[in-house]
Amino acid sequence: RNRALKQSARLVTQSILSNGTEGLDMASAVRQWRCLRHLTAVGVAVVTSNGFGVAELFDYRNQDASAVDGITGGMYGIRLDNMVSGINAFEALAGAKLHSNTTGRKQRERYRYVCVVLASQILTLLDAFIFPDNLDSSKAASQLHGLALVRSTEPRLGKSQGPLLASLVRLSLILLAYLEPSSVRFLQACSRLRCFLHWTLEIIRESVALGGYSVAFHELNAPLDRLVLAIVLQCHRALSRCSVVLVEMESSPWDKYFSDSESRQKSHRRLFRAVLELREIVFAAYRGRNEVLRAALSLQAHEALARGLEEMSSPKFLLKSSKEASLRTFLKNDWMTSFHDVEAIGDMMISEQVANGQVYKNRTATTIGRQAITELVSENAAIVKEYSDLLGIPFNLYCENQRRWAETEAVREREFEGNEAVKKFAIKYRSDSVEGNKILMAKFSLAMKRMLWIVRTSNDPWNPFKRWLFPSTTDTLYRRILFAPNYYFNDHADACYESTLGKERDKITQEETRRKEKEREMTEALLRVGDAIVPYDESALEDFEDDDPERTDDEILIGWKSENDGNSESDNDNNGEQKFNTKDTESVTLESKSIGSEWDQFDDTDFGENDDSDPDAWAKKFMWSEGEHFVQSFESVVIVSLQSTMEGKLLLTTQNVYFHQTEDALDVFTKQPVKRDDESPRQDLQWKLSRLTDIHGRRYMLKAQGLELFFADMKGLFLKFGGMKERDAFFSKLTSNCKAPLLRPMKSLNPRTVFKKTKLTDMWRKRKISNFQYLMMLNLMAGRTFNDVTQYPVFPWVLCDYTSETLNLSDHRIYRDLSKPVGALNPDRLAQLIERYNDLDGFVSEEEKFLYGSHYSSPGVVLHYLVRQEPYTSMHIALQSGRFDCADRMFHDVAGCWDSCMTSTSDVKELTPEFFTCPEMFINTNDFPLGQTQSKIPISNVKLPPWAKESPHEFIRIHRLALESEYVSNNLHHWIDLIFGYKQRGPAAAANHNVFHYLSYEGSVDLDKISDEVTRQATESHIQNFGQTPSQLMVKDPHPPRSRVEDDGPLLEKNLQALRCHTPAKQFGGSRNAEANGPVISLHALGEYVFAIYSDLSFCSYKIHFIRGVVPFTFKAEKTRHIISRKGSRSLSAVWHALNVEDDIPFEADSTSKEAVSLGLGNSSFAISLGGSAKLSGSAVNSADSSYLLLSCGYFDNCLKVQTLDSSSLRYNQNGGHRGQINCLQVGEDGTVMVTGGQDSTCRVWVIDHDSFASSLTDGYVYSSLGFESGLLRCCHVLLGHVSPITCVAMSTKLDVIISGSEDGSICIHNIRSGKFVRSLHVDASTKEVKHSCAINGISVRKLAIHVDGTFVANFSDESMYLFTVNGQKLADINLEEQLYSMIICQQSERLITGGEKGLAKIWTLHDLSLDCTVDVSTYGAITSLVLTPLDTSQTAQYLCVGSSNGSLSIVYKSL
């Protein structure tokens, strides 16, 4: 085929060059050559219209290539060595794999491949004509052989392309830009372009000789001069690519890119030949048309080019250097190593070496180069326009022919037939319009629901009549402290026990009789279980092993250490869970959802029926992510929630979990369908795996067939599968085939294995976590969950004294014996139980014998305790057949409940976690009709022990202190052995009187072996209602005890009389000649380092090291620097804000002292964070670590600034989305989440340097739609609720709470991870009463501080200070009689520290705001900032650092 092509080409060219005397006849030859010219012009137009014209090639960013091209496998470019000769567009299109859904950069890359192939094939075809084989290329005449052929212009596409030679140059430049530099095709393209350049210079010389003008860019030769400039610029870029490839080729092993070493050597030689050709092209352009380069290049670029070329051409250099060495030297000259950047001017890209008015050596370059590039852009536009116009000519001709055809008689007959068809379609249209109206009405209904949600959200802060319920999620310590709004409150007035007497007595009596009869039948059925009983085999449990690699303590604590998991929520209410239908709380199966959260789901009831051919079409109603695809589906999966169970189909994809409800939701107690609107469809739900953080195996009906998925907002999804095999399949597919960036690695679902691999026990023994945290984690690992009331977490009774007026927590007599179960605490009762246990001999098997008929944890126990708060109120009523239980049996007295547990043979219940976290469980806040006892005593709030002083909050505080006491810490391991350890089952359990009904133990019965339906139902009913024992975590060895306290603990925990204050003499501030001036406006502590920020924005670091002596530490001033860079904001005319009152702090007379005030900076304007990514990588705590970031706000340009801690270099400087000044900021305990408060009355939640965590907080689709990119800071929520500027913020990531105060006195509480508004309150300025709504006549809030246990302190502008709970309850208030400038809480010792204008550091007891101690530092002026050094292993003592208004830093320590 190649020989035939060359023979035809020789005949055509001979005929044209000999004017028809040789070869073909002239007409045929001209016709064929014109066809080729036309094909070339079309090719140029095609590549130009697709964005690859000469001007577009100057955008070097689009020429970037990976080391290996993804389509052809080329090295830093496209490889075309295997392409055949001739036009082969089909293969190019097939190789490009173009798809309609490919957009952006990927689409351009694939079009680039097609254009490169097209250009290469056209040039290869023309090579046979303009470079025939019979010519001697060494002769000058032969080199100009093809010039006569390429001089002409193809008029059929206009004159914008110029002569054929210009078109060939344009195509050659494309190959130069994108081909693999070491390939054969690239070398051919260089050689071909070198010849084209010679021809171009020849035409220019002829034009100059004809016109007598040699000036650059003259109108006679300007188009060709511009192409010469383009050739030089592209050669510069191509040489740079060759240099990169050369370095990569020589620094990498040969087998990285080549099949053998010989191939590498060939490529190496080709690369140097290509460099030689490119250098010769540049040299030819420089010699032949230097006027163009001198005019179009910048002065510096032209000087560098001239110097490099003249050096290469000097005889002295040529004698000394080999060819390869000279080429290497040329690649390293200044012109080659510089000028790689481009400047964007509108849509035009200009290389930095093009003349554009640059100044060099006091000389200014012209703008001729820029004008030349502009003209090239215009040429591209003209080429595309002419091509588009010519493409439209056939269409216009077609339209004219169609018009003529339409006027014929045959068409008129068809028109009549068409009219009849139109009538039929019109009838169908009318019917379709009816369906369309239904769709519009459905959309309108959905929009109205969305509007109702918006109205409700907007009105929430002003609604003082809210009702509350237990939240569906916990905080990161697995506590449920912050209550959630109950928008569907039911007062249950018709469920009062007394109201059901009288006329309904007979009905209730009959129901009671039927219930007892059914219980009797079930009891008899249980005796027939027989072969289904599984004997307890301890050895099998001891030998169980798993291949799960050891998981660290951070991995096993689900969400407890939030810095490692990115715990947060995303779609306001949803946490990755999307559903369409919003229902009442008593009819919804999982929980109530926010209206308006269904933005990414289409309703199938509005848009027709599902496609029967696709069983998973229901899942397509959701917006699927890009690249998301099906993994596996699971039938008959049940979602287990607190109030109901819901069966359906589960669909697992690579990025989501979808659930399609197939059966009605069933109440967990009645097993009857949950009432719902008949018109409402069943639910379709979605959970995003990008928010999944952990997976734990769960039991259901004592069978290991469940999973609980934990998401970033601490919500849990309890899934029950058809069996263990299906459960394990789901777990395997999810962990191996799905994208879950926050999911911790794990390979086992067995609780015993998970516990065995973790270091949780070591952390507890070393007192790194509290008793409460340890018990919660044991519960969760043992299968206890808040999603299943039958497996609720269990906590111990820790006290036995509920009658004394006061408690001494150091007296061991007030504590319960933790080495015995509740049933064995009373010896007399235990004797009765043992007698009954022995009487069972001969009636039941040894495995069926039990000591206690009831259990320490069951649904009845949980609802007994929590009946006063929803949703447990509704569940209690459902359990009691639609009414409250008899008042005498309800939980109304803590002491009476304890006495019952000590005396009754059927009452051995333990406690729930709420006894240590939730005072609201004792208060009938909803005024439910709980009835009255037989003694006519009305039941409302729970009667508390005398030592609680009738305060539920005091009871919870003391009860929590008792749980963390030394006695409980030293004996808790005994109770753990009983509930979770080796004393739970087997001989050890019998020896410790810890034997319960056999149906409460895991694996005691195999329900699949029970064939009788009645017996099976009876067994299931017993398992569900009478309690289940947690999974056994320790089979053989006893749990180790907790270690003793080895240090004095927190600074403020005890012995406050020993506090002393020392002000070191050598400091950066505190004197007129100091390096830092003005007050200490902010203090921060990291390990042994303390960082002080002064009002002149000096940033100073100090090191405090513990020693033994009179002053038990050394204090060393390390270094000082300024935190504002040249890009920072400094202006003495800025608005002052931080301290609110200009004369609050007594400044010195010099102007630098007031600089921070004029900047609006204060101690709430700075924070230090390690950032989420650095936390995950495990960076060490080091003051010099560049991972630490300093965040600041309050500048006049309203920007939020982020600087590195070690060098103060600016990394982020944006306004953060606030409209106006940012007044305050605070970073959470984990250093990953930040909140800012602004003058625009909004707060914003940020994630610091953790993209996966940020994506889990909000919807990633929203980010992609808005074009947000990953970065150092990402705003995830905008918190609304205030109507005046924010003055202060406080946050606790462990509590998942943000508290904000504003100038009008409003205090708003939001969730961090969901961004949901929870409640607002204010103190009325007239009455001093606390009101639960936004402020109308409130007192401005100055300072806020929050404790992790759910209380916070607010300081107001009238010098008052209030203590609140996060649920809005006021606990204490005092008048300070001074203005505070700093206020912090010691989390370990529950102390409040304040400092203000009097210069006194006051230490308060947090729970009642009583003053404990005062430290006087008034010698140094007002106290402007406070900080406590952290407690860690490297610091053996804790210190309080106090910053004063004269710049002094004082250290408060405890005397040894």
Side-chain angles (χ1 to χ4, degrees):
R1 187 166 55 177
N2 288 335
R3 288 196 300 269
L5 174 63
K6 291 179 181 180
Q7 184 177 1
S8 300
R10 181 167 50 81
L11 295 175
V12 171
T13 54
Q14 284 179 354
S15 176
I16 294 176
L17 294 177
S18 65
N19 201 18
T21 59
E22 299 180 11
L24 296 177
D25 63 279
M26 189 64 177
S28 299
V30 169
R31 190 182 310 111
Q32 293 187 31
W33 182 243
R34 184 177 296 167
C35 178
L36 290 174
R37 289 193 341 236
H38 182 69
L39 177 62
T40 305
V42 170
V44 172
V46 169
V47 298
T48 303
S49 61
N50 281 284
F52 296 96
V54 175
E56 285 82 3
L57 297 180
F58 296 139
D59 187 358
Y60 300 151
R61 298 171 302 176
N62 290 328
Q63 297 181 23
D64 292 339
S66 57
V68 178
D69 181 61
I71 299 176
T72 63
M75 185 177 178
Y76 289 96
I78 297 174
R79 179 179 298 167
L80 297 181
D81 292 351
N82 296 325
M83 296 296 295
V84 299
S85 301
I87 302 301
N88 199 358
F90 175 78
E91 290 188 8
L93 290 170
K97 300 178 182 178
L98 298 174
H99 299 290
S100 59
N101 61 350
T102 305
T103 58
R105 191 176 181 88
K106 281 187 177 181
Q107 187 182 43
R108 178 179 175 82
E109 290 176 357
R110 299 193 182 280
Y111 278 122
R112 176 179 61 189
Y113 173 60
V114 175
C115 292
V116 168
V117 171
L118 184 61
S120 176
Q121 300 291 32
I122 290 176
L123 290 172
T124 302
L125 179 63
L126 289 174
D127 283 349
F129 292 85
I130 58 181
F131 301 116
D133 294 339
N134 59 349
L135 291 181
D136 185 0
S137 59
S138 61
K139 297 180 181 180
S142 300
Q143 295 177 1
L144 298 178
H145 165 80
L147 179 59
L149 296 173
V150 298
R151 299 174 66 102
S152 59
T153 301
E154 174 54 51
R156 297 176 65 182
L157 286 181
K159 297 183 179 181
S160 57
Q161 292 194 28
L164 178 60
L165 177 61
S167 299
L168 298 178
V169 171
R170 290 186 176 94
L171 295 177
S172 298
L173 291 180
I174 295 175
L175 301 184
L176 205 65
Y178 295 116
L179 283 181
E180 179 185 17
S182 61
S183 65
V184 175
R185 292 281 176 167
F186 184 82
L187 180 59
Q188 292 176 352
C190 294
S191 302
R192 185 188 297 116
L193 181 60
R194 182 179 176 187
C195 180
F196 291 162
L197 176 62
H198 282 297
W199 292 351
T200 303
L201 295 176
E202 181 66 24
I203 295 176
I204 292 175
R205 283 192 291 268
E206 292 178 4
S207 177
V208 169
L210 181 64
Y213 298 99
S214 63
V215 64
F217 300 105
H218 187 268
E219 59 181 357
L220 293 178
N221 50 31
L224 295 179
D225 281 346
R226 288 192 288 269
L227 287 178
V228 172
L229 174 61
I231 290 172
V232 173
L233 293 178
Q234 286 303 324
C235 285
H236 177 267
R237 176 61 179 171
L239 285 167
S240 300
R241 293 175 60 225
C242 290
S243 178
V244 171
V245 174
L246 181 62
V247 172
E248 179 69 18
M249 189 181 298
E250 294 179 348
S251 61
S252 302
W254 62 266
D255 56 352
K256 182 175 181 181
Y257 299 106
F258 304 97
S259 58
D260 50 53
S261 59
E262 184 179 355
S263 299
R264 178 185 178 278
Q265 292 175 1
K266 289 181 179 180
S267 297
H268 192 269
R269 289 194 297 269
R270 284 197 299 269
L271 187 62
F272 273 105
R273 291 175 60 190
V275 172
L276 178 62
E277 290 289 343
L278 292 171
R279 189 187 69 174
E280 292 303 318
I281 292 173
V282 175
F283 197 34
Y286 178 77
R287 288 184 303 178
R289 200 58 177 156
N290 192 26
E291 299 89 342
V292 172
L293 302 182
R294 186 183 299 109
L297 297 181
S298 66
L299 298 174
Q300 183 180 3
H302 186 267
E303 180 180 308
L305 173 62
R307 186 168 55 251
L309 293 177
E310 290 171 0
E311 181 181 354
M312 293 297 101
S313 60
S314 64
K316 183 179 180 180
F317 179 83
L318 294 176
L319 291 174
K320 288 185 177 181
S321 302
S322 64
K323 183 180 294 185
E324 180 177 335
S326 67
L327 292 177
R328 290 183 184 272
T329 304
F330 179 74
L331 291 176
K332 295 178 182 179
N333 67 50
D334 292 342
W335 184 67
M336 281 304 307
T337 58
S338 305
F339 314 110
H340 297 295
D341 291 338
V342 293
E343 179 184 359
I345 302 178
D347 295 333
M348 180 174 64
M349 308 302 297
I350 297 181
S351 172
E352 66 172 322
Q353 65 177 316
V354 172
N356 191 19
Q358 300 97 327
V359 178
Y360 177 66
K361 293 183 178 180
N362 297 325
R363 293 186 299 164
T364 303
T366 66
T367 59
I368 294 177
R370 173 178 174 176
Q371 294 172 6
I373 302 299
T374 304
E375 290 298 325
L376 286 174
V377 173
S378 301
E379 287 180 6
N380 287 351
I383 291 172
V384 174
K385 184 179 183 304
E386 289 180 349
Y387 178 63
S388 301
D389 293 342
L390 290 173
L391 287 180
I393 291 177
F395 178 73
N396 294 334
L397 181 61
Y398 169 78
C399 292
E400 177 64 21
N401 293 334
Q402 289 296 106
R403 184 188 64 79
R404 294 176 181 176
W405 173 79
E407 295 176 354
T408 61
E409 188 66 25
V411 173
R412 297 186 183 277
E413 294 178 358
R414 298 300 298 269
E415 283 181 354
F416 174 77
E417 298 174 0
N419 289 337
E420 294 298 319
V422 167
K423 292 179 181 179
K424 295 180 181 179
F425 284 118
I427 296 173
K428 186 177 185 301
Y429 170 76
R430 283 192 290 271
S431 63
D432 291 344
S433 297
V434 175
E435 297 299 323
N437 288 333
K438 292 181 180 179
I439 295 174
L440 290 177
M441 290 304 296
K443 290 182 178 180
F444 177 76
S445 175
L446 186 61
M448 289 302 297
K449 288 181 180 179
R450 178 76 175 179
M451 180 54 104
L452 289 174
W453 174 79
I454 294 173
V455 171
R456 190 188 75 185
T457 304
S458 303
N459 293 335
D460 261 358
W462 286 269
N463 179 14
F465 305 109
K466 286 184 182 178
R467 299 287 186 168
W468 306 92
L469 49 67
F470 271 106
S472 60
T473 61
T474 66
D475 60 20
T476 57
L477 300 183
Y478 291 94
R479 305 168 303 175
R480 296 190 296 173
I481 295 178
L482 180 63
F483 272 48
N486 183 1
Y487 295 106
Y488 306 97
F489 175 71
N490 186 341
D491 60 7
H492 298 297
D494 56 348
C496 178
Y497 182 81
E498 285 77 10
S499 68
T500 61
L501 302 178
K503 62 179 181 179
E504 297 186 6
R505 187 189 304 273
D506 295 338
K507 179 180 178 181
I508 295 174
T509 302
Q510 293 175 4
E511 291 180 353
E512 189 73 12
T513 302
R514 287 196 298 268
R515 183 177 63 84
K516 291 182 178 180
E517 180 66 22
K518 186 175 181 179
E519 289 180 357
R520 184 185 62 80
E521 293 177 356
M522 289 185 174
T523 302
E524 294 176 354
L526 288 176
L527 299 177
R528 302 194 298 268
V529 174
D531 296 336
I533 299 176
V534 179
Y536 175 69
D537 186 0
E538 182 176 304
S539 61
L541 298 177
E542 293 175 11
D543 296 337
F544 179 83
E545 293 293 337
D546 196 280
D547 60 351
D548 184 23
E550 182 171 344
R551 300 173 67 193
T552 65
D553 51 298
D554 289 342
E555 292 173 343
I556 198 66
L557 296 182
I558 316 170
W560 172 58
K561 290 209 169 184
S562 55
E563 63 264 25
N564 284 343
D565 57 30
N567 293 341
S568 238
E569 175 185 7
S570 64
D571 320 39
N572 290 340
D573 261 332
N574 264 17
N575 169 50
E577 178 180 338
Q578 311 263 342
K579 80 175 194 179
F580 184 77
N581 302 297
T582 303
K583 304 185 187 330
D584 185 86
T585 51
E586 294 191 1
S587 62
V588 73
T589 57
L590 293 177
E591 58 183 86
S592 60
K593 300 292 177 185
S594 281
I595 306 170
S597 63
E598 315 84 9
W599 59 270
D600 66 345
Q601 181 181 5
F602 303 101
D603 188 2
D604 57 349
T605 60
D606 295 336
F607 295 95
E609 298 296 330
N610 288 334
D611 185 5
D612 294 336
S613 62
D614 185 2
D616 299 327
W618 55 272
K620 300 300 176 61
K621 296 183 295 181
F622 295 91
M623 294 184 185
W624 282 38
S625 304
E626 183 178 356
E628 180 180 1
H629 60 269
F630 170 85
V631 176
Q632 191 168 341
S633 62
F634 301 86
E635 303 290 342
S636 301
V637 177
V638 177
I639 295 181
V640 181
S641 63
L642 198 61
Q643 294 177 264
S644 62
T645 59
M646 183 169 60
E647 183 176 343
K649 180 178 181 180
L650 195 71
L651 181 66
L652 178 65
T653 69
T654 52
Q655 300 184 35
N656 291 281
V657 175
Y658 300 95
F659 180 82
H660 177 61
Q661 182 182 356
T662 57
E663 303 292 339
D664 289 336
L666 302 179
D667 187 275
V668 292
F669 296 121
T670 65
K671 303 302 180 184
Q672 298 299 315
V674 176
K675 294 181 180 179
R676 64 179 180 86
D677 185 359
D678 291 337
E679 297 180 358
S680 300
R682 289 171 175 168
Q683 301 180 49
D684 291 336
L685 306 173
Q686 176 197 39
W687 295 268
K688 297 182 183 298
L689 295 181
S690 60
R691 298 162 190 164
L692 181 65
T693 59
D694 223 316
I695 307 174
H696 273 250
R698 290 289 180 257
R699 300 176 310 175
Y700 189 76
M701 303 302 293
L702 298 181
K703 187 177 180 181
Q705 55 185 342
L707 277 178
E708 189 165 18
L709 280 63
F710 290 90
F711 295 90
D713 66 344
M714 299 303 295
K715 282 186 179 178
L717 173 62
F718 193 145
L719 299 174
K720 176 257 178 183
F721 293 85
M724 181 185 292
K725 184 177 180 181
E726 288 188 22
R727 182 198 71 168
D728 293 345
F730 175 86
F731 175 74
S732 175
K733 291 291 185 181
L734 193 151
T735 53
S736 59
N737 296 79
C738 301
K739 298 178 181 178
L742 297 179
L743 180 62
R744 299 171 187 81
M746 58 186 303
K747 293 185 178 180
S748 176
L749 294 176
N750 184 274
R752 195 171 301 108
T753 303
V754 174
F755 175 76
K756 187 176 181 180
K757 298 297 184 181
T758 183
K759 298 179 181 178
L760 189 66
T761 301
D762 291 337
M763 294 179 65
W764 174 75
R765 295 190 64 201
K766 295 176 182 178
R767 297 179 181 258
K768 292 184 178 180
I769 60 175
S770 66
N771 291 338
F772 180 90
Q773 294 169 348
Y774 187 53
L775 289 177
M776 276 306 308
M777 293 310 303
L778 289 177
N779 272 280
L780 292 172
M781 284 188 289
R784 314 304 279 189
T785 172
F786 289 106
N787 279 325
D788 187 359
V789 72
T790 68
Q791 301 184 82
Y792 207 79
V794 56
F795 269 63
W797 288 93
V798 294
L799 296 173
C800 64
D801 186 353
Y802 296 95
T803 58
S804 300
E805 292 292 331
T806 59
L807 282 184
N808 180 9
L809 295 180
S810 61
D811 184 359
H812 68 88
R813 293 174 298 178
I814 68 171
Y815 294 98
R816 162 254 180 110
D817 186 354
L818 291 168
S819 65
K820 299 178 182 179
V822 170
L825 292 175
N826 185 339
D828 296 335
R829 179 182 60 177
L830 179 61
Q832 299 177 36
L833 293 172
I834 293 176
E835 181 180 359
R836 188 179 67 181
Y837 177 81
N838 294 330
D839 290 342
L840 292 176
D841 290 338
F843 293 95
V844 295
S845 63
E846 189 64 28
E847 289 79 7
E848 296 178 85
K849 291 176 62 177
F850 58 89
L851 194 62
Y852 310 111
S854 61
H855 203 266
Y856 50 77
S857 177
S858 66
V861 170
V862 175
L863 301 182
H864 176 74
Y865 286 139
L866 305 180
V867 65
R868 285 167 177 80
Q869 298 296 338
E870 291 284 12
Y872 301 99
T873 308
S874 299
M875 296 175 66
H876 171 89
I877 293 172
L879 182 64
Q880 299 296 331
S881 303
R883 62 174 182 175
F884 287 104
D885 196 7
C886 175
D888 293 276
R889 292 194 296 264
M890 295 187 69
F891 177 49
H892 62 275
D893 182 2
V894 175
C897 183
W898 169 253
D899 291 340
S900 174
C901 292
M902 290 298 99
T903 57
S904 174
T905 57
S906 61
D907 189 357
V908 293
K909 58 180 174 288
E910 294 277 11
L911 302 181
T912 63
E914 288 76 15
F915 269 85
F916 304 91
T917 62
C918 183
E920 286 77 12
M921 67 171 288
F922 303 106
I923 310 173
N924 187 13
T925 56
N926 298 304
D927 297 323
F928 290 132
L930 303 181
Q932 58 184 6
T933 64
Q934 295 179 2
S935 304
K936 304 302 181 182
I937 300 176
I939 299 300
S940 183
N941 296 339
V942 176
K943 182 180 178 181
L944 300 172
W947 46 260
K949 312 303 180 186
E950 299 183 355
S951 169
H953 301 85
E954 182 69 3
F955 176 87
I956 291 295
R957 185 186 72 84
I958 295 176
H959 208 210
R960 186 172 59 244
L961 291 175
L963 178 65
E964 305 298 337
S965 65
E966 276 305 302
Y967 176 85
V968 175
S969 295
N970 295 333
N971 292 277
L972 187 58
H973 61 284
H974 297 305
W975 186 84
I976 294 174
D977 284 334
L978 293 170
I979 306 301
F980 306 105
Y982 79 105
K983 295 180 183 179
Q984 184 195 100
R985 302 184 68 175
N992 287 273
H993 310 297
N994 193 37
V995 181
F996 293 88
H997 194 281
Y998 74 97
L999 286 181
S1000 70
Y1001 293 103
E1002 179 179 9
S1004 61
V1005 63
D1006 189 349
L1007 294 175
D1008 296 333
K1009 293 183 179 180
I1010 303 177
S1011 57
D1012 182 66
E1013 186 64 24
V1014 175
T1015 304
R1016 181 186 179 90
Q1017 291 180 3
T1019 305
E1020 291 179 348
S1021 178
H1022 189 282
I1023 293 173
Q1024 181 176 1
N1025 294 291
F1026 290 90
Q1028 300 179 34
T1029 303
S1031 296
Q1032 191 174 15
L1033 300 179
M1034 295 153 284
V1035 178
K1036 183 177 181 180
D1037 298 326
H1039 191 285
R1042 202 173 196 188
S1043 303
R1044 299 289 179 179
V1045 179
E1046 297 179 357
D1047 52 36
D1048 295 332
L1051 174 70
L1052 307 179
E1053 186 173 23
K1054 56 185 177 180
N1055 193 20
L1056 299 184
Q1057 293 76 17
L1059 293 181
R1060 301 290 184 268
C1061 183
H1062 173 67
T1063 304
K1066 294 184 178 181
Q1067 300 188 34
F1068 292 113
S1071 63
R1072 288 189 175 275
N1073 298 325
E1075 298 182 47
N1077 297 312
V1080 181
I1081 61 175
S1082 186
L1083 286 173
H1084 307 272
L1086 292 175
E1088 296 181 338
Y1089 291 87
V1090 175
F1091 300 92
I1093 301 175
Y1094 295 83
S1095 63
D1096 66 346
L1097 302 183
S1098 296
F1099 183 68
C1100 306
S1101 59
Y1102 302 92
K1103 185 176 182 180
I1104 305 177
H1105 185 67
F1106 174 82
I1107 60 171
R1108 293 194 176 272
V1110 178
V1111 178
F1113 61 85
T1114 59
F1115 183 86
K1116 179 182 178 182
E1118 294 259 313
K1119 60 180 179 179
T1120 182
R1121 51 201 177 277
H1122 211 277
I1123 67 173
I1124 297 298
S1125 69
R1126 63 184 180 86
K1127 295 183 180 180
S1129 308
R1130 300 189 65 182
S1131 171
L1132 297 180
S1133 62
V1135 179
W1136 174 84
H1137 174 80
L1139 300 173
N1140 296 326
V1141 181
E1142 187 170 2
D1143 297 326
D1144 277 345
I1145 296 182
F1147 292 102
E1148 301 294 335
D1150 57 290
S1151 61
T1152 58
S1153 300
K1154 292 194 176 184
E1155 187 167 348
V1157 174
S1158 65
L1159 285 170
L1161 299 176
N1163 52 24
S1164 60
S1165 300
F1166 300 91
I1168 289 179
S1169 170
L1170 183 58
S1173 296
K1175 286 272 187 182
L1176 288 177
S1177 63
S1179 297
V1181 177
N1182 188 333
S1183 66
D1185 190 344
S1186 60
S1187 297
Y1188 278 103
L1189 304 172
L1190 175 67
L1191 304 100
S1192 56
C1193 68
Y1195 302 97
F1196 82 97
D1197 60 355
N1198 307 330
C1199 281
L1200 179 66
K1201 303 183 186 301
V1202 182
Q1203 297 167 271
T1204 57
L1205 198 62
D1206 58 340
S1207 63
S1208 296
S1209 60
L1210 192 65
R1211 292 190 58 189
Y1212 183 89
N1213 183 39
Q1214 299 292 334
N1215 64 6
H1218 285 281
R1219 297 182 178 180
Q1221 181 169 289
I1222 303 175
N1223 296 335
C1224 49
L1225 61 83
Q1226 185 171 3
V1227 173
E1229 308 97 304
D1230 59 3
T1232 305
V1233 181
M1234 177 182 68
V1235 60
T1236 57
Q1239 197 74 12
D1240 59 356
S1241 306
T1242 67
C1243 295
R1244 293 176 182 263
V1245 180
W1246 305 79
V1247 171
I1248 305 171
D1249 196 21
H1250 196 326
D1251 289 338
S1252 297
F1253 184 25
S1255 298
S1256 71
L1257 278 176
T1258 191
D1259 199 316
Y1261 175 78
V1262 175
Y1263 270 112
S1264 61
S1265 297
L1266 297 180
F1268 293 153
E1269 298 179 355
S1270 60
L1272 186 64
L1273 293 182
R1274 284 180 60 174
C1275 179
C1276 298
H1277 297 301
V1278 178
L1279 309 182
L1280 306 176
H1282 291 281
V1283 293
S1284 64
I1286 309 298
T1287 57
C1288 50
V1289 292
M1291 70 182 301
S1292 173
T1293 51
K1294 292 181 179 178
L1295 196 59
D1296 190 32
V1297 165
I1298 290 175
I1299 303 175
S1300 54
S1302 59
E1303 288 183 358
D1304 66 357
S1306 296
I1307 298 176
C1308 290
I1309 300 174
H1310 293 80
N1311 286 119
I1312 295 176
R1313 290 165 291 184
S1314 66
K1316 289 192 302 183
F1317 171 85
V1318 180
R1319 67 169 70 239
S1320 62
L1321 56 93
H1322 71 279
V1323 177
D1324 190 272
S1326 302
T1327 64
K1328 307 300 181 182
E1329 294 180 355
V1330 178
K1331 297 185 177 180
H1332 295 273
S1333 66
C1334 278
I1336 299 177
N1337 183 30
I1339 309 172
S1340 180
V1341 188
R1342 293 291 304 277
K1343 300 288 180 184
L1344 289 169
I1346 186 171
H1347 192 272
V1348 71
D1349 285 335
T1351 57
F1352 69 94
V1353 180
N1355 170 233
F1356 296 90
S1357 59
D1358 64 349
E1359 300 182 352
S1360 63
M1361 186 165 66
Y1362 283 69
L1363 176 67
F1364 300 97
T1365 70
V1366 291
N1367 290 320
Q1369 181 68 36
K1370 187 191 81 170
L1371 301 182
D1373 67 284
I1374 58 170
N1375 190 354
L1376 297 169
E1377 298 181 352
E1378 71 167 327
Q1379 193 69 41
L1380 295 186
Y1381 300 138
S1382 186
M1383 180 173 71
I1384 61 175
I1385 290 178
C1386 178
Q1387 300 288 342
Q1388 298 89 354
S1389 57
E1390 298 188 8
R1391 304 277 184 178
L1392 172 69
I1393 312 167
T1394 61
E1397 58 187 2
K1398 293 183 178 180
L1400 302 176
K1402 296 181 179 180
I1403 301 171
W1404 312 77
T1405 300
L1406 183 61
H1407 72 272
D1408 59 0
L1409 296 184
S1410 60
L1411 184 62
D1412 286 336
C1413 181
T1414 300
V1415 179
D1416 190 352
V1417 291
S1418 58
T1419 304
Y1420 309 104
I1423 294 176
T1424 56
S1425 54
L1426 298 164
V1427 72
L1428 278 166
T1429 60
L1431 279 174
D1432 54 35
T1433 55
S1434 63
Q1435 187 83 15
T1436 57
Q1438 189 178 38
Y1439 306 98
L1440 172 64
C1441 302
V1442 182
S1444 300
S1445 60
N1446 77 333
S1448 296
L1449 181 63
S1450 304
I1451 311 298
V1452 178
Y1453 62 94
K1454 187 172 290 185
S1455 172
L1456 298 178

